[in-house]
Amino acid sequence: MFYHENKLQYDVEVEDPNPVFAKMLQQAIGGVEGEMRVAMQYLFQAWALPPEHEKYRRMLLNTGAEELGHIEMLATAVAKNLEGAPLELKGEMTQAVGAGTMNGIQPRQVLSSGLHAMAVDSDGVPFNGNYVVASGNLAADMTANVMAESTGRLLATRLWEMTDDPGMKDMLSYLIARDTMHQNQWLTVLQDLGETDDPFEVFPIPDSFPDAEENEEFNYAFMTTDVDGGSDSDAPWTQGTSMDGEGRFSHVRQRDLAGGDPDIGAPDPRTHDDPTPRGED
C-alpha cells in the first residue's frame, strides 16, 4: 500500500527553461541509469523477500518509494524546462524534413505529452522492464543495486555539468547526495548479511552451492587467453588469497588447457541444415 502527499520530496526550481536540457533529463527518468529503473528494482526485490528478511524488505520498500519521489521531481523539472518551448517546425522543415527537430526538443514531449515528461529515455526509447534486476537472492540484488546507484550517480554528475541553471544544479546535487547514501546503504546490507565486517563474505553468489560440486581446479584461476600467455601473471588477481578468503588465486594459460575439437552430431534432417544438394551424398 502506498500513500501520496502532494509535496515534492525536494524543491525543484528552474530559472532559465531549456527544452534541450529537458530532453537530457529524460535519461534520468526512463533510461537504464534512471529513477524508474531503481524504483521498480527495489520494489520488486522487496516483494520477493520472505518474512525472515522483514528488516531488509522494509528498507527496500522505503527506498523504492523514495525513488518514486525522485521520478516526480524529475518530471517536474522536465515540465518546467519545457515552459515556453517552440512548437513550430516551419523554419526547420523548409530545410529538410525533421532537421533541427524543434531546436533540440524531443518531439514526443510535444506530440504525445503536451510539454511534459514521459516514461522514456533521452532518445525517446520507452522504459524497459528488463532493466530491473530482482533475482530473489538478496546478496546478488544488493550487488546489482550498488551498480545501479553508481551509474545513476554518474549520470547525475554529468547532467550537473551540462547545466548552468542554479535550480537544476541544486536539484541534481540532492540526487547525487542520495546516490551516495544508497551506494553505502547497499554495501552495508552486504556486510550485514555476513558473519563478520567483511562484505565479501557473502561471495561468490550463491554461496549456498556445495563446494564439493564446484570444479575446484578452476574456481580461483585467472585464465589468460593472450597468445603469449604472459599477461597479468604477477597481478593481485592472479596470486595470493582470494577476496572471499576461501582460496588462492592462480594463473593458467588457456592454450595449455585446450579441450578437443567440437564434436556434435549430424544435422537433424527436419531442420534442413545440411547444405548438400538433394540427390548427392
Side-chain angles (χ1 to χ4, degrees):
M1 179 65 71
F2 292 93
Y3 298 93
H4 179 261
E5 184 176 5
N6 195 33
K7 294 181 179 179
L8 290 172
Q9 185 180 132
Y10 189 84
D11 287 336
V12 176
E13 301 294 340
V14 177
E15 295 186 14
D16 185 18
N18 184 339
V20 176
F21 194 60
K23 178 180 178 179
M24 299 299 104
L25 286 172
Q26 283 287 163
Q27 191 68 19
I29 295 177
V32 66
E33 313 92 346
E35 302 290 351
M36 289 184 68
R37 184 259 180 95
V38 289
M40 293 297 100
Q41 184 156 306
Y42 303 158
L43 293 177
F44 274 94
Q45 288 175 3
W47 295 329
L49 291 178
E52 56 264 31
H53 287 327
E54 176 64 19
K55 69 174 181 178
Y56 301 125
R57 177 186 171 91
R58 291 175 63 87
M59 178 200 60
L60 282 161
L61 288 171
N62 274 297
T63 307
E66 177 189 344
E67 303 291 7
L68 292 175
H70 295 176
I71 300 170
E72 185 179 25
M73 290 169 55
L74 286 161
T76 302
V78 167
K80 285 179 174 286
N81 273 287
L82 288 173
E83 290 179 0
L87 297 180
E88 293 187 358
L89 280 172
K90 292 180 180 178
E92 291 87 347
M93 292 293 280
T94 58
Q95 302 173 26
V97 176
T101 57
M102 304 173 72
N103 295 324
I105 189 175
Q106 188 175 111
R108 286 195 61 206
Q109 289 177 331
V110 177
L111 300 173
S112 300
S113 69
L115 297 178
H116 294 92
M118 301 181 67
V120 302
D121 67 13
S122 58
D123 290 323
V125 178
F127 174 74
N128 189 331
N130 285 333
Y131 299 159
V132 173
V133 177
S135 71
N137 181 294
L138 188 56
D141 287 347
M142 291 303 106
T143 307
N145 292 353
V146 173
M147 184 281 290
E149 292 288 346
S150 300
T151 54
R153 190 173 192 271
L154 186 60
L155 171 63
T157 59
R158 289 169 175 168
L159 287 168
W160 189 93
E161 295 286 355
M162 292 178 66
T163 181
D164 292 324
D165 187 278
M168 288 293 87
K169 280 191 173 292
D170 182 54
M171 180 195 74
L172 289 164
S173 71
Y174 172 79
L175 294 177
I176 291 167
R178 297 310 299 152
D179 289 338
T180 299
M181 169 57 192
H182 294 156
Q183 285 184 52
N184 282 274
Q185 177 178 327
W186 307 134
L187 288 168
T188 301
V189 174
L190 280 171
Q191 184 180 77
D192 194 55
L193 289 171
E195 297 179 356
T196 69
D197 290 336
D198 184 1
F200 291 102
E201 191 176 59
V202 297
F203 290 89
I205 297 167
D207 198 32
S208 56
F209 186 79
D211 290 345
E213 299 298 330
E214 185 174 347
N215 189 323
E216 296 181 348
E217 181 180 356
F218 298 105
N219 56 358
Y220 294 102
F222 178 81
M223 192 166 291
T224 297
T225 55
D226 294 342
V227 173
D228 62 14
S231 66
D232 301 316
S233 60
D234 58 352
W237 51 86
T238 65
Q239 58 185 342
T241 304
S242 61
M243 295 301 295
D244 59 13
E246 296 184 12
R248 293 189 63 80
F249 289 131
S250 63
H251 178 267
V252 298
R253 288 170 41 123
Q254 170 66 57
R255 298 184 74 181
D256 295 337
L257 303 170
D261 294 333
D263 184 15
I264 60 175
D268 187 316
R270 294 170 298 176
T271 65
H272 304 282
D273 288 346
D274 192 342
T276 304
R278 284 185 295 177
E280 296 184 20
D281 293 331

